[in-house]
Amino acid sequence: MSAITINRRVLQKLIPIAIGYLALGIACGILAQQAGLTPLEAFGMSVLVFAGSGQFIGIAMMAQGAALVSIGLTIFIVNLRHLLFSSTLMNFFVGRSKNFLIGYAHGITDETFAVNLNAFETETAPRWTGEEALGLNVTSCAVWSLSNALGCYAAAWLNPPTELVSYLLIAMFLGIWVNYLSDRKMIITGLISGVLAILLSQIVPYKLHIVLATLAASGAACYITERHAGGADNVR
C-alpha cells in the first residue's frame, strides 16, 4: 500500500474539517496580509507550521513587532498539547518507519487528531489505516494552506478592516476556551494568565509578557494540581 491513501472515506472525513479550515484560513490569510506577508509567504508558513491557533498568534505578534524568540516560545507553549496527541495515537503506529511518523506528526492538529482517533477506534470493517490517517492530515494541510493564500491574496484587493480580523481572532480563542468552562481550574488559570499578561505588558518588552504570563499561570496550576493529588493520595 502507498504511503498516502486518499480515498472516499478520507474525503468524507475531510469535509467538516475543510469547511472550518476554509473560513478560518481565509481570516488568517487576511491577518497575514495586514502583517506584511505575501500570499506565497502565507502559504509557505501554513505548510511549515500547520497549527491554526499557533499561526494566528505568530502572525498577530509579528504585526505588533514582537521578537522572534518571543514568537517561537509562545507558539511552542501553545502547541505543547500536540505531544499528548502524539502519545495517544502512538499505539496505532507501532512498527512504522521514522520518516512515516515524522510526516504524520507534522499533520496533527486538534481536528485531525480527533477525527483520526475516532476512526481508529470505530472503523473496523475495513479498519482505518495509517495511510488513510496520513492522507487526511495531508489533505487538511492543503486546504488550510490554500485558504491562507486565498485570504492573503483577496485582502490585498478588498482591504478589509482590521477590526474584522481582530474580531474573528478573538472569537476563535473564545471558542477554544469555552470548551473548558466546565473545569474550574482551567477558568481560574485562564483568568490569572490574562490579568498577568496585562500587568506585565507595562514592564516587559517584545511581547514576552505573553510567554511569562502563560508559563506562570500554567506552572502554578500544575503545582497546585500535583499538591492536591498528593494530598489526596496521602489521605487514602
Side-chain angles (χ1 to χ4, degrees), residues 177 180-193:
W177 196 38
Y180 302 102
L181 290 182
S182 59
D183 189 327
R184 186 173 63 178
K185 292 191 294 294
M186 291 295 291
I187 295 174
I188 295 174
T189 302
L191 292 174
I192 292 176
S193 180

CSV table of all heavy atoms in Angstrom, one decimal, residues 177 180-193:
chain,number,residue,atom,x,y,z
A,177,TRP,N,-11.6,28.4,24.3
A,177,TRP,CA,-11.6,28.4,25.7
A,177,TRP,C,-12.9,27.9,26.3
A,177,TRP,O,-13.0,27.4,27.4
A,177,TRP,CB,-11.3,29.8,26.2
A,177,TRP,CG,-10.9,29.9,27.6
A,177,TRP,CD1,-10.1,29.0,28.3
A,177,TRP,CD2,-11.3,30.9,28.6
A,177,TRP,NE1,-10.0,29.4,29.6
A,177,TRP,CE2,-10.7,30.6,29.8
A,177,TRP,CE3,-12.0,32.1,28.5
A,177,TRP,CZ2,-10.8,31.3,31.0
A,177,TRP,CZ3,-12.2,32.9,29.6
A,177,TRP,CH2,-11.6,32.5,30.8
A,180,TYR,N,-13.5,24.6,27.9
A,180,TYR,CA,-13.0,24.3,29.3
A,180,TYR,C,-13.8,25.0,30.4
A,180,TYR,O,-13.4,25.0,31.5
A,180,TYR,CB,-11.5,24.7,29.4
A,180,TYR,CG,-10.7,24.1,28.3
A,180,TYR,CD1,-10.3,24.8,27.2
A,180,TYR,CD2,-10.3,22.8,28.5
A,180,TYR,CE1,-9.5,24.2,26.2
A,180,TYR,CE2,-9.5,22.1,27.5
A,180,TYR,CZ,-9.1,22.9,26.4
A,180,TYR,OH,-8.3,22.2,25.5
A,181,LEU,N,-15.0,25.6,30.0
A,181,LEU,CA,-15.7,26.4,31.0
A,181,LEU,C,-16.3,25.5,32.1
A,181,LEU,O,-16.8,26.0,33.1
A,181,LEU,CB,-16.8,27.2,30.3
A,181,LEU,CG,-16.3,28.4,29.5
A,181,LEU,CD1,-17.5,29.1,28.9
A,181,LEU,CD2,-15.4,29.3,30.3
A,182,SER,N,-16.3,24.2,31.9
A,182,SER,CA,-16.8,23.3,32.9
A,182,SER,C,-15.7,22.9,33.9
A,182,SER,O,-16.0,22.2,34.9
A,182,SER,CB,-17.4,22.0,32.3
A,182,SER,OG,-16.4,21.3,31.5
A,183,ASP,N,-14.5,23.3,33.6
A,183,ASP,CA,-13.4,23.0,34.5
A,183,ASP,C,-13.0,24.2,35.3
A,183,ASP,O,-12.4,25.2,34.7
A,183,ASP,CB,-12.2,22.5,33.7
A,183,ASP,CG,-11.1,21.9,34.5
A,183,ASP,OD1,-10.8,22.4,35.6
A,183,ASP,OD2,-10.4,21.0,34.1
A,184,ARG,N,-13.2,24.3,36.6
A,184,ARG,CA,-12.9,25.5,37.4
A,184,ARG,C,-11.4,25.8,37.3
A,184,ARG,O,-11.1,27.0,37.3
A,184,ARG,CB,-13.4,25.3,38.8
A,184,ARG,CG,-13.3,26.5,39.7
A,184,ARG,CD,-13.9,26.3,41.0
A,184,ARG,NE,-13.2,25.3,41.8
A,184,ARG,CZ,-13.5,24.9,43.0
A,184,ARG,NH1,-14.6,25.5,43.6
A,184,ARG,NH2,-12.9,23.9,43.6
A,185,LYS,N,-10.6,24.8,37.4
A,185,LYS,CA,-9.1,25.1,37.3
A,185,LYS,C,-8.7,25.8,36.1
A,185,LYS,O,-7.9,26.7,36.1
A,185,LYS,CB,-8.3,23.8,37.5
A,185,LYS,CG,-8.4,23.2,38.9
A,185,LYS,CD,-7.4,22.1,39.1
A,185,LYS,CE,-7.7,20.9,38.2
A,185,LYS,NZ,-8.9,20.2,38.5
A,186,MET,N,-9.3,25.4,34.9
A,186,MET,CA,-9.0,26.0,33.7
A,186,MET,C,-9.5,27.4,33.6
A,186,MET,O,-8.8,28.3,33.0
A,186,MET,CB,-9.6,25.2,32.5
A,186,MET,CG,-8.9,23.8,32.3
A,186,MET,SD,-7.2,23.9,31.8
A,186,MET,CE,-7.4,24.5,30.2
A,187,ILE,N,-10.6,27.7,34.1
A,187,ILE,CA,-11.2,29.0,34.1
A,187,ILE,C,-10.3,30.0,34.9
A,187,ILE,O,-9.9,31.0,34.5
A,187,ILE,CB,-12.6,29.0,34.7
A,187,ILE,CG1,-13.6,28.2,33.8
A,187,ILE,CG2,-13.1,30.5,34.8
A,187,ILE,CD1,-14.9,28.1,34.4
A,188,ILE,N,-9.9,29.5,36.1
A,188,ILE,CA,-9.1,30.3,37.0
A,188,ILE,C,-7.7,30.6,36.4
A,188,ILE,O,-7.2,31.7,36.4
A,188,ILE,CB,-8.9,29.7,38.4
A,188,ILE,CG1,-10.3,29.6,39.1
A,188,ILE,CG2,-7.9,30.4,39.2
A,188,ILE,CD1,-10.2,28.8,40.4
A,189,THR,N,-7.1,29.5,35.8
A,189,THR,CA,-5.8,29.6,35.1
A,189,THR,C,-5.9,30.6,34.0
A,189,THR,O,-5.0,31.5,33.8
A,189,THR,CB,-5.4,28.3,34.6
A,189,THR,OG1,-5.3,27.3,35.6
A,189,THR,CG2,-4.0,28.4,33.9
A,190,GLY,N,-6.9,30.6,33.2
A,190,GLY,CA,-7.1,31.5,32.0
A,190,GLY,C,-7.2,32.9,32.5
A,190,GLY,O,-6.6,33.8,31.9
A,191,LEU,N,-8.0,33.1,33.5
A,191,LEU,CA,-8.2,34.5,34.0
A,191,LEU,C,-6.9,35.1,34.6
A,191,LEU,O,-6.6,36.2,34.4
A,191,LEU,CB,-9.3,34.5,35.1
A,191,LEU,CG,-10.8,34.2,34.5
A,191,LEU,CD1,-11.7,34.1,35.7
A,191,LEU,CD2,-11.2,35.3,33.6
A,192,ILE,N,-6.2,34.2,35.4
A,192,ILE,CA,-5.0,34.7,36.0
A,192,ILE,C,-3.9,35.0,34.9
A,192,ILE,O,-3.2,36.0,35.0
A,192,ILE,CB,-4.4,33.6,37.0
A,192,ILE,CG1,-5.3,33.5,38.2
A,192,ILE,CG2,-3.0,34.0,37.4
A,192,ILE,CD1,-4.9,32.4,39.2
A,193,SER,N,-3.9,34.2,33.9
A,193,SER,CA,-2.9,34.4,32.8
A,193,SER,C,-3.3,35.7,32.1
A,193,SER,O,-2.3,36.5,31.8
A,193,SER,CB,-3.0,33.2,31.8
A,193,SER,OG,-2.1,33.4,30.7
